[in-house]
Amino acid sequence: MQKQPNILFIMADQMSALALKAYGNPVAKTPHIQSLADRGVVFQNAYCNSPLCAPSRASMLTGRLPSQINAYDNAADFPSSTPTFIHYLRHMGYRTCLSGKMHFTGPDQLHGFEERLTTDIYPADFGWTCDWERPLDDRFSWYHNMQSVTDAGACVRSNQLDFDEEVSYRAVRWILDQARSDDQRPFCLTVSFTHPHDPYNITQKYWDLYDPEDIDGLYTDPIPFENLDAHSRRVARICDLDQTTLTRSHILNARRAYYGAVSYIDDKVGELLRTLSETGLADNTIIVFASDHGDMLGDRGLWYKMTFFEWSARVPLIISALDRFPAKRVAQHVSLLNLFPTMVDMASNHTPPVSAENVYHDSLMPYLTGNQAPAAAPVVAEYLAEGAVAPCFMILKNQFKYIFSDPDPPMLFD
């Protein structure tokens, strides 16, 4: 039996699968992520379980839907009593470490991680709590607005660049230290960046990689505000989209900066892969690449996330390991909930499998090993945060996507 593998879990923030070459994007310059895809298992139809940062991440780590752990919005307390797959890996003898963002709200900023190399980019307090008694038009100052789009462009520096530079630097140094350490435990290192999350600003180097005209044709035309579905109208309203006139230049600049940030993250992935290779750790390290949700980027006329449309809800999920998993593409629908049992199965070499009472969703291990994969279960996602007036749900089964919220007309997509 192979010894327990190391796991390098790399996360991007607000990176849509559709913005990557590995998922068919003809414009994206992402050679390092592409190299992972070329030699790994690409889940072509992976989805988040809530199109918002904190609920998506809490759901992913616990393997449970946001409603099962009360992780409704970006101010939801993530209690220490809720086990994560990081707890399981640590119990199985892993050294667990986090560098970067995980958007933990509340006093526990570890949730199973043995050590944390950076702070989070966001405060852990409850300042982003929604007030459901306020009218929807009465916006909070911390809501998204269209300034990220109208001010998009090249920059010298930003707080997000400062943060991700530290995340990368500390993660690389940690891998180097691990390689020369006497600690013989396998490790699970999570490296979580905040790009390409808005604001849409990136350095000149990455800004110059893209011709905005090439990017523009990848998106559907805006839908007139009055023709949007009810939830999309509310999201547009709280983001001031209905009160903001976006010029073609605004839209092209925002998309160009976003794609520049995607390439920036790709270079950071390259740094991590290169360090693994140089230290001799690559041979026994499984690499998992994912994002918490996507970004509409003007598709249908919408921006940011908070909806169940493809650019918002569909995420990259690539798992790559030398000599362990044959390269392939998996067309079945999966979600970030599947990562909990998959991580535990990979750490235990699938012997024994995770007991049914401890997990709530199928492991992806059958897809990875090439054995007969189970029939794809429906993907379920939830949203109850800014812009919602009642719980919103998405059910994805076979080729159909059903979106429902009690006050709104239901939507069915083929």
Side-chain angles (χ1 to χ4, degrees), residues 80-92:
S80 298
S81 58
T82 305
T84 68
F85 67 74
I86 303 299
H87 286 109
Y88 275 71
L89 265 59
R90 190 169 176 184
H91 181 68
M92 295 163 65

Side-chain angles (χ1 to χ4, degrees), residues 264-290:
Y264 170 79
I265 290 300
D266 185 76
D267 275 356
K268 294 303 176 188
V269 171
E271 288 180 21
L272 294 168
L273 299 182
R274 188 162 52 251
T275 306
L276 280 179
S277 179
E278 291 171 351
T279 55
L281 293 171
D283 289 348
N284 192 43
T285 299
I286 297 172
I287 300 160
V288 180
F289 179 78

Side-chain angles (χ1 to χ4, degrees), residues 100-311:
K101 173 184 175 177
M102 202 49 76
H103 211 138
F104 294 144
T105 301
D108 187 351
Q109 292 296 298
L110 292 175
H111 288 284
F113 288 104
E114 186 176 346
E115 55 186 323
R116 185 165 189 168
L117 305 181
T118 71
T119 63
D120 211 308
I121 192 169
Y122 296 137
D125 61 20
F126 306 104
W128 290 350
T129 301
C130 293
D131 183 349
W132 297 104
E133 295 183 352
R134 293 175 67 157
L136 278 175
D137 291 337
D138 189 7
R139 299 180 66 259
F140 290 105
S141 61
W142 47 264
Y143 275 172
H144 279 282
N145 60 50
M146 299 315 295
Q147 188 174 357
S148 287
V149 179
T150 57
D151 290 355
C155 69
V156 174
R157 210 64 183 169
S158 68
N159 67 322
Q160 292 190 194
L161 284 164
D162 288 343
F163 182 79
D164 279 349
E165 287 299 313
E166 182 180 8
V167 169
S168 176
Y169 169 77
R170 290 182 177 270
V172 166
R173 189 174 69 176
W174 190 92
I175 294 171
L176 293 170
D177 288 343
Q178 176 70 16
R180 57 194 171 200
S181 169
D182 293 330
D183 192 335
Q184 297 301 307
R185 291 178 294 168
F187 66 80
C188 176
L189 172 63
T190 298
V191 185
S192 185
F193 298 102
T194 190
H195 283 88
H197 194 294
D198 62 284
Y200 304 117
N201 301 105
I202 197 63
T203 59
Q204 195 72 43
K205 170 185 175 181
Y206 295 98
W207 174 262
D208 289 342
L209 286 178
Y210 291 95
D211 182 340
E213 298 292 340
D214 294 338
I215 298 169
D216 203 38
L218 303 176
Y219 300 88
T220 62
D221 293 331
I223 297 173
F225 179 82
E226 61 275 12
N227 293 341
L228 288 169
D229 63 277
H231 177 70
S232 294
R233 286 199 303 272
R234 290 191 294 267
V235 169
R237 190 176 294 116
I238 64 165
C239 293
D240 277 350
L241 185 56
D242 61 327
Q243 302 294 323
T244 306
T245 300
L246 294 181
T247 67
R248 176 175 169 78
S249 178
H250 290 147
I251 294 169
L252 293 181
N253 286 345
R255 290 174 177 168
R256 183 178 183 180
Y258 179 88
Y259 276 79
V262 168
S263 291
Y264 170 79
I265 290 300
D266 185 76
D267 275 356
K268 294 303 176 188
V269 171
E271 288 180 21
L272 294 168
L273 299 182
R274 188 162 52 251
T275 306
L276 280 179
S277 179
E278 291 171 351
T279 55
L281 293 171
D283 289 348
N284 192 43
T285 299
I286 297 172
I287 300 160
V288 180
F289 179 78
S291 181
D292 53 355
H293 51 74
D295 190 319
M296 290 299 292
L297 280 175
D299 196 66
R300 302 173 65 91
L302 300 172
W303 290 84
Y304 314 125
K305 53 269 187 171
M306 301 173 283
T307 71
F308 296 124
F309 300 121
E310 290 291 281
W311 280 91

